[in-house]
Amino acid sequence: SAHKIKYRTTTKHHLQKSSSSSNTSTTKVHHITMSHYTATITKQSKNQSIGIGLKETDAGLTISSINSEGPLSQTCLKPGMKLLAINNIEVSGLSSREAVQIMKDAEGKLALSAVDFVPANITFQVAVTRVRNDNGQINERVLATMKRDINNVTPTIFMEAGVPSNTFSKIYTLIESELLPPAMALRSHETTYDKEMQSYTGKQMVKGGIIGFGTESNHEKKVLQMVKQGAQLQRNVDLKAGQVKDQINAMLARYNIMATVALESRRLVKYSSKQKQANTALDVVGIQFH
């Protein structure tokens, strides 16, 4: 079958003028726009399979898979893209079954239009890496990085709403500079605390077995101080997350987009054999948009 691929990228520039009694100034505002992709193939028969999988998401129909041996394998369409139209029929509001039926009913020319889809969030990850050195000892490092680069992270919801690129950049930088550091500080503290607890539980809390005023070990005092500081660091993350979220909502109010704190669950180690199941921690990992 023949393949016809069309690719279109648009860029908009709007000029806003503000005047006073003595002069006029011109400001260029760059709006984030979406790259649209259209793949056109020719079906040899009505029953020919084109090898595309669709998934229903909050954003609409997204391409979940493309058969490497199907007629769409060499086109511009890729898994993860949001499907917009089939033969100029908009698929917004359709189920995956309805969209597949339209493709099945098509004869001859079949044109599929899609757009790159980026999830509605700007998030980071804080991870502990373990590396064994030449002496056989394991060194731990806490690394914090943004999950996607600023150049390819613009959420589709921003582009659809016409959010200016400079507004997106401010939001991204705000999350990276204000929310990521306290989250990293908390995880670093938790990692150090885990090490201290391993050392602490391997020794007697009080030498000689006598417990009384002034007999606490330095290690015991250190662990108790770390528990207190850990609670404060967690509070720092929560307060900063609320502050960043409020600032972002103020920037996005005119575009009818709401920001909330993005959370990821993390399974905690059981603290007792009598514990029925392990607890789960919710970590702040950025901001998501609705």
Side-chain angles (χ1 to χ4, degrees), residues 121-124 146 158 167-183 235-253 257-262 284-289:
N121 61 55
I122 301 176
T123 56
F124 51 79
M146 300 297 286
F158 277 34
T167 299
F168 162 73
S169 297
K170 289 178 181 178
I171 292 173
Y172 185 98
T173 302
L174 185 65
I175 294 171
E176 184 179 33
S177 62
E178 297 293 327
L179 189 51
L180 187 150
R235 186 167 179 266
N236 291 350
V237 174
D238 296 339
L239 290 173
K240 183 58 70 173
Q243 187 181 59
V244 169
K245 179 197 68 175
D246 290 344
Q247 292 181 61
I248 292 174
N249 275 324
M251 286 188 271
L252 295 177
I257 297 176
M258 181 179 70
T260 58
V261 178
V284 174
V285 295
I287 298 293
Q288 59 188 20
F289 308 96

Side-chain angles (χ1 to χ4, degrees), residues 3-76:
H3 301 278
K4 183 180 179 183
I5 304 173
K6 300 177 182 178
Y7 175 75
R8 177 167 63 88
T9 304
T10 58
T11 305
K12 298 179 182 177
H13 300 283
H14 295 276
L15 297 181
Q16 297 181 340
K17 295 183 178 180
S18 59
S19 59
S20 62
S21 57
S22 58
N23 56 50
T24 300
S25 62
T26 302
T27 304
K28 182 178 290 187
V29 179
H30 298 273
H31 287 269
I32 304 168
T33 57
M34 302 164 69
S35 297
H36 293 259
Y37 302 83
T38 298
T40 303
I41 64 173
T42 300
K43 291 180 63 178
Q44 302 300 325
S45 66
K46 187 174 181 179
N47 296 326
Q48 179 188 358
S49 173
I50 64 171
I52 186 173
L54 300 178
K55 180 173 63 176
E56 297 176 22
T57 68
D58 292 339
L61 293 178
T62 58
I63 300 174
S64 58
S65 63
I66 292 181
N67 191 321
S68 60
E69 297 181 355
L72 290 172
S73 62
Q74 301 301 315
T75 69
C76 55

Side-chain angles (χ1 to χ4, degrees), residues 205-247:
M205 290 178 59
V206 179
K207 292 182 179 180
I210 302 175
I211 300 178
F213 177 75
T215 59
E216 300 90 345
S217 68
N218 290 331
H219 211 150
E220 183 179 6
K221 292 178 181 178
K222 183 189 298 182
V223 168
L224 293 175
Q225 289 173 351
M226 292 188 71
V227 170
K228 181 180 179 181
Q229 290 189 22
Q232 182 60 60
L233 289 172
Q234 179 63 66
R235 186 167 179 266
N236 291 350
V237 174
D238 296 339
L239 290 173
K240 183 58 70 173
Q243 187 181 59
V244 169
K245 179 197 68 175
D246 290 344
Q247 292 181 61

Side-chain angles (χ1 to χ4, degrees), residues 131-139:
V131 179
R132 190 180 298 275
N133 61 24
D134 296 337
N135 297 325
Q137 296 179 328
I138 296 178
N139 296 325

